[in-house]
């Protein structure tokens, strides 16, 4: 039986940031998503100007991935083709679809925005993460009504058991207007970690129960 | 012309979401694409929309874009020559 372990994870949800179980940021006072994500981008010194051009869904997923990957350097241990990405959400790109609609709804003020249009597909978020980290492995964007840890677990397990990928960046990135929630984790093969002489005792197994615990209960 | 150049700089920053760039950072004679601001093909399309939306200028032949959008100054010159009264 091949075990797949969660070796890193992070959550950004309603002005709160948690990475690997540590609370990094909490804003008690209400600030908008745009204000919060910009604040976080600057605080983390990401230095990637293309961030500002992304839609809100991509900003959320991209920054969550940045925070998680900062703690775990995958590039030294894996080839770019071995690293896959599987992300799910429920609103797909609806937030940006509405933004795009604003640019075309008035016949007398009809100026479709190309830069908004390119984000009217939710899997662009995966593209942004892959471009930033030069990832070339399998990827999939799933849309389900609710966070479905069983679905994510089965797809990631399948990709890894069939050796399509050796490590997976996966999770749930949901955003619609001011309601947002992002959970991203890194899943690696136990045998590969042991081969690299890494202590695996602190990592938990990829199961739907563990994904639920990390995503919905912040790891508690 | 200088007034139009400054106005264009502000519009380009806003339209292309160049948040860390200020008006003073943009050299009106520096190429907009490639090095400098590092704009891409989607930005080029946004600039075409900007000309049409803000100045009523429609670029009929996309090949002209390379000359028009070479720098902020070439954009301003094109606008001055083609802006509808």
């Amino acid at each position: 039986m091949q075990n797949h372990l969660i070796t890193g994870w992070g959550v950004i949800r309603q002005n709160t940031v948690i990475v690997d179980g540590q609370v990094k940021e909490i804003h008690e006072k209400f600030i908008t998503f745009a204000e919060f994500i910009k604040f976080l981008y600057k605080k983390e010194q990401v230095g990637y100007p293309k961030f500002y051009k992304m839609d809100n869904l991509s900003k959320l997923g991209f920054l969550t991935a940045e925070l998680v990957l900062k703690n775990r350097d995958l590039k030294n241990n894996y080839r770019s083709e071995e690293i896959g990405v599987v992300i799910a959400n429920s609103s797909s790109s609806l937030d940006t679809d509405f933004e795009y609609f604003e640019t075309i709804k008035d016949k007398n003020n009809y100026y479709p925005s190309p830069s908004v249009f390119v984000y009217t597909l939710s899997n662009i978020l995966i593209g942004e993460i892959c471009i930033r980290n030069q990832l070339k492995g399998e990827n999939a964007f799933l849309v389900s009504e609710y966070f479905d840890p069983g679905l994510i677990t089965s797809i990631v397990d399948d990709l890894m058991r069939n050796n399509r990928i050796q490590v997976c960046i996966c999770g749930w990135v949901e955003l619609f207007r001011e309601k947002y929630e992002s959970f991203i984790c890194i899943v690696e093969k136990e045998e590969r970690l042991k081969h690299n002489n890494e202590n695996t005792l602190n990592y938990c197994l990829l199961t739907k129960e563990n994904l639920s615990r990390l995503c919905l209960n912040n790891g508690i | 012309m200088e007034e139009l150049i400054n106005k264009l700089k502000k519009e380009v920053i806003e339209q292309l979401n160049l948040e860390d760039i200020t008006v003073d950072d943009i050299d009106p004679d520096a190429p907009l694409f490639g090095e400098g601001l590092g704009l891409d093909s989607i930005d080029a399309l946004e600039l075409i929309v900007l000309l049409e939306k803000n100045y009523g200028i429609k670029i009929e032949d996309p090949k002209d874009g390379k000359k028009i959008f070479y720098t902020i100054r070439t954009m301003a010159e094109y606008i001055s020559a083609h802006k509808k009264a």
Side-chain angles (χ1 to χ4, degrees):
Chain A
M1 176 74 179
Q2 187 180 90
N3 284 332
H4 302 146
L5 304 179
I6 298 169
T7 58
W9 62 279
V11 169
I12 299 180
R13 177 189 291 122
Q14 304 302 135
N15 297 357
T16 300
V17 180
I18 297 168
V19 179
D20 293 334
Q22 304 295 313
V23 177
K24 284 187 72 114
E25 200 69 49
I26 295 182
H27 271 261
E28 301 285 348
K29 67 170 186 172
F30 178 80
I31 56 175
T32 64
F33 172 78
E35 290 166 336
F36 181 66
I37 209 76
K38 188 175 169 183
F39 161 81
L40 198 58
Y41 168 82
K42 287 188 176 286
K43 183 172 179 276
E44 294 295 325
Q45 300 178 313
V46 178
Y48 190 66
K50 195 172 184 291
F51 176 81
Y52 292 123
K53 296 174 185 252
M54 296 177 195
D55 72 337
N56 284 342
L57 180 71
S58 294
K59 281 179 179 167
L60 177 62
F62 174 90
L63 208 46
T64 315
E66 282 289 305
L67 295 171
V68 174
L69 292 169
K70 204 184 240 185
N71 286 356
R72 190 141 187 96
D73 184 13
L74 297 180
K75 281 184 207 159
N76 273 340
N77 293 320
Y78 299 93
R79 288 184 290 113
S80 56
E81 292 82 2
E82 294 180 321
I83 308 171
V85 185
V86 175
I87 305 280
N89 80 358
S90 69
S91 297
S92 185
S93 59
L94 191 62
D95 189 68
T96 303
D97 297 347
F98 272 107
E99 192 184 335
Y100 181 68
F101 180 66
E102 287 297 315
T103 71
I104 60 170
K105 70 178 183 185
D106 183 356
K107 278 184 186 170
N108 298 317
N109 190 28
Y110 184 84
Y111 297 105
S113 168
S115 61
V116 177
F117 179 74
V118 292
Y119 287 99
T120 57
L121 273 177
S122 49
N123 57 355
I124 297 299
L125 153 61
I126 290 180
E128 295 292 2
I129 294 171
C130 289
I131 290 167
R132 166 67 160 168
N133 297 286
Q134 297 170 341
L135 311 180
K136 296 176 185 168
E138 291 270 347
N139 66 69
F141 197 101
L142 317 166
V143 180
S144 58
E145 193 170 359
Y146 302 104
F147 172 60
D148 185 346
L151 179 66
I152 296 170
T153 301
S154 65
I155 287 174
V156 174
D157 271 340
D158 187 64
L159 285 170
M160 293 177 74
R161 283 214 175 90
N162 289 308
N163 283 320
R164 304 292 293 270
I165 52 175
Q166 298 300 314
V167 54
C168 193
I169 296 162
C170 61
W172 172 260
V173 182
E174 165 63 17
L175 178 142
F176 185 65
R177 296 188 172 146
E178 286 301 318
K179 200 171 173 200
Y180 59 93
E181 173 182 63
S182 177
F183 161 71
I184 284 183
C185 65
I186 300 169
V187 178
E188 298 176 70
K189 291 181 177 178
E190 186 176 30
E191 60 185 27
R192 178 98 171 226
L193 294 166
K194 285 184 172 168
H195 178 75
N196 291 339
N197 295 320
E198 191 162 342
N199 183 354
T200 58
L201 288 175
N202 291 330
Y203 302 141
C204 61
L205 266 179
L206 173 68
T207 61
K208 63 180 182 181
E209 291 78 14
N210 280 335
L211 277 191
S212 277
R213 185 173 58 83
L214 297 178
C215 176
L216 303 178
N217 294 328
N218 300 333
I220 298 165
Chain B
M1 181 60 76
E2 292 309 307
E3 197 178 317
L4 177 57
I5 283 174
N6 276 329
K7 183 168 176 270
L8 255 184
K9 285 182 185 179
K10 285 179 197 160
E11 289 171 342
V12 167
I13 288 170
E14 191 187 335
Q15 187 83 12
L16 305 186
N17 293 318
L18 304 174
E19 295 230 1
D20 285 337
I21 307 279
T22 66
V23 167
D24 293 338
D25 292 333
I26 302 178
D27 176 352
D29 298 306
L32 287 169
F33 292 86
E35 290 177 20
L37 295 181
L39 306 186
D40 60 22
S41 56
I42 300 296
D43 294 321
L45 295 174
E46 281 293 341
L47 291 179
I48 291 172
V49 174
L50 185 153
L51 278 200
E52 193 176 342
K53 192 175 177 180
N54 296 5
Y55 299 95
I57 298 170
K58 203 164 188 169
I59 296 175
E60 302 294 347
D61 186 352
K63 277 185 271 181
D64 293 340
K66 204 169 180 179
K67 280 185 285 180
I68 298 165
F69 300 122
Y70 183 57
T71 66
I72 288 285
R73 191 178 300 281
T74 57
M75 269 182 85
E77 286 167 353
Y78 188 82
I79 290 167
S80 293
H82 294 83
K83 193 177 176 186
K84 288 173 185 167

